[in-house]
Amino acid sequence: MPEVKSMFREVLPKQGQLSMEDVPTMVLCKPKLLPLKSVTLEKLEKMQQEAQEVIKQQELALREQQQHAQPEQEHTQ
């Protein structure tokens, strides 16, 4: 196999530091985990949950008012 001559000639320094270029290799990094839910979706779910709790509290208050009103109606009859 004939040797291919390159345009550049290798030069080794007589004094000082010798540096060598590394061939780039593939570097594996830690996998980046993406959240299953976006921040916006989590905020919307939280708002919906809070709204449902408010509705439940209002329904309970309404039932209590109706229960207190029923005995008063029975006494007046």
Side-chain angles (χ1 to χ4, degrees):
M1 185 176 232
E3 192 174 311
V4 178
K5 291 187 177 183
S6 68
M7 293 173 47
F8 301 103
R9 179 171 69 89
E10 186 178 282
V11 177
L12 295 174
K14 304 261 189 255
Q15 60 184 13
Q17 290 184 341
L18 175 65
S19 64
M20 209 168 81
E21 277 189 43
D22 221 1
V23 178
T25 57
M26 189 164 59
V27 177
L28 299 175
C29 61
K30 291 182 180 179
K32 292 178 176 64
L33 298 176
L34 297 174
L36 294 175
K37 294 182 179 180
S38 68
V39 176
T40 307
L41 181 60
E42 287 180 1
K43 286 181 182 178
L44 287 173
E45 286 180 345
K46 184 178 176 185
M47 287 172 57
Q48 185 178 14
Q49 197 172 32
E50 289 173 354
Q52 286 176 345
E53 288 176 13
V54 168
I55 290 171
K56 282 181 185 178
Q57 289 174 356
Q58 289 175 349
E59 287 176 349
L60 287 174
L62 184 62
R63 286 183 192 159
E64 287 178 6
Q65 287 177 356
Q66 288 175 350
Q67 287 176 355
H68 289 297
Q70 284 178 352
E72 290 175 9
Q73 289 176 355
E74 290 175 3
H75 289 311
T76 56
Q77 290 180 358

